[in-house]
Amino acid sequence: MRFLKRYFITGLLIWLPLVATVWVLAVLASTLGSLVPSFLSPEALFGVAIPGFELVLVLAVIFITGLFCANFIGRAILSRWESLLGRIPLVRSIYNSVKQVSDTVFAPNGQAFREAVLVQYPRRGAWTIGFLTGTPCTEIAALLEGDFVSVYVPTTPNPTSGFFLMMPRADVQVLDMSVETALKYIVSMGVVAPPGLPPQTQMDLPAVESPGGQAH
């Protein structure tokens, strides 16, 4: 029985990440393909079903749009289009918010996550990895006493959801590991340790002093 269990788990560890990867890619392809209107489907254009045609069409449109907007004329048209959207009350709020986030995350020089940090969350004495995203806005900073930073604490194993925290800078420990390495560490639930970090040192966490001067 133990012999069968051993090889079953070995096979599961091989197939599970592969199946999960294929499933995520399939969902992504299906979502992008659903954006194509019916009159541009291969059935409507060629009278025959072509698997993946919608996905290729969406990717081609995205690439051509980026190519067109990279020149002066394209940027001018884009500027006028954004100006038009900015005059529509509800659309303006949604579009500007999404654009600011996408520009920060996907821009080549964007720094959505600036540094990986170690913070105590959800209570003092419990540590987790977060990402430094900046500093509180002027209005909030004026109400906070001291030097605060903005930190995003992702959930595990899905880092796309999480919590936005504003914490004293003194309570945030900056890590040497890269943002990519920290994300892998979070997604793996701590199983995939960063290179060069011996397992026995993973629990050697730095002490942070409380306002009373006592280390925790």
Side-chain angles (χ1 to χ4, degrees):
M1 188 65 181
R2 184 177 300 178
F3 175 83
L4 295 177
K5 180 180 179 181
R6 174 186 175 186
Y7 287 102
F8 178 82
I9 293 178
T10 300
L12 182 64
L13 293 177
I14 294 174
W15 279 103
L16 185 60
L18 179 61
V19 171
T21 302
V22 172
W23 179 78
V24 170
L25 293 177
V27 171
L28 180 60
S30 176
T31 302
L32 292 177
S34 64
L35 300 176
V36 178
S38 58
F39 66 87
L40 291 178
S41 65
E43 291 86 351
L45 295 176
F46 311 110
V48 63
I50 303 177
F53 177 82
E54 291 88 349
L55 177 60
V56 173
L57 183 60
V58 170
L59 295 178
V61 169
I62 293 175
F63 177 78
I64 294 174
T65 303
L67 186 65
F68 177 73
C69 293
N71 57 55
F72 176 77
I73 298 177
R75 286 196 297 268
I77 296 177
L78 179 62
S79 178
R80 289 183 177 272
W81 170 252
E82 291 181 344
S83 177
L84 175 63
L85 292 178
R87 298 175 184 175
I88 307 175
L90 181 59
V91 175
R92 175 181 59 198
S93 301
I94 300 175
Y95 180 80
N96 288 340
S97 299
V98 174
K99 180 173 174 54
Q100 289 177 1
V101 173
S102 61
D103 286 348
T104 303
V105 174
F106 295 109
N109 58 348
Q111 290 184 329
F113 294 158
R114 302 183 179 182
E115 292 177 301
V117 296
L118 191 65
V119 297
Q120 297 193 71
Y121 181 82
R123 61 175 178 80
R124 188 168 291 275
W127 294 82
T128 188
I129 293 178
F131 298 99
L132 187 66
T133 59
T135 56
C137 64
T138 304
E139 179 182 358
I140 295 178
L143 301 176
L144 300 175
E145 297 182 0
D147 187 14
F148 278 71
V149 294
S150 301
V151 177
Y152 173 70
V153 177
T155 55
T156 301
N158 177 21
T160 59
S161 65
F163 305 92
F164 169 62
L165 308 173
M166 286 170 280
M167 310 179 67
R169 188 182 296 272
D171 290 349
V172 176
Q173 305 291 325
V174 178
L175 300 173
D176 291 333
M177 71 176 68
S178 65
V179 171
E180 181 181 2
T181 301
L183 280 172
K184 292 179 181 179
Y185 197 34
I186 292 170
V187 171
S188 69
M189 297 174 287
V191 175
V192 180
L197 180 62
Q200 63 270 20
T201 65
Q202 294 182 23
M203 296 301 294
D204 297 338
L205 302 176
V208 174
E209 291 188 357
S210 64
Q214 295 182 350
H216 294 266

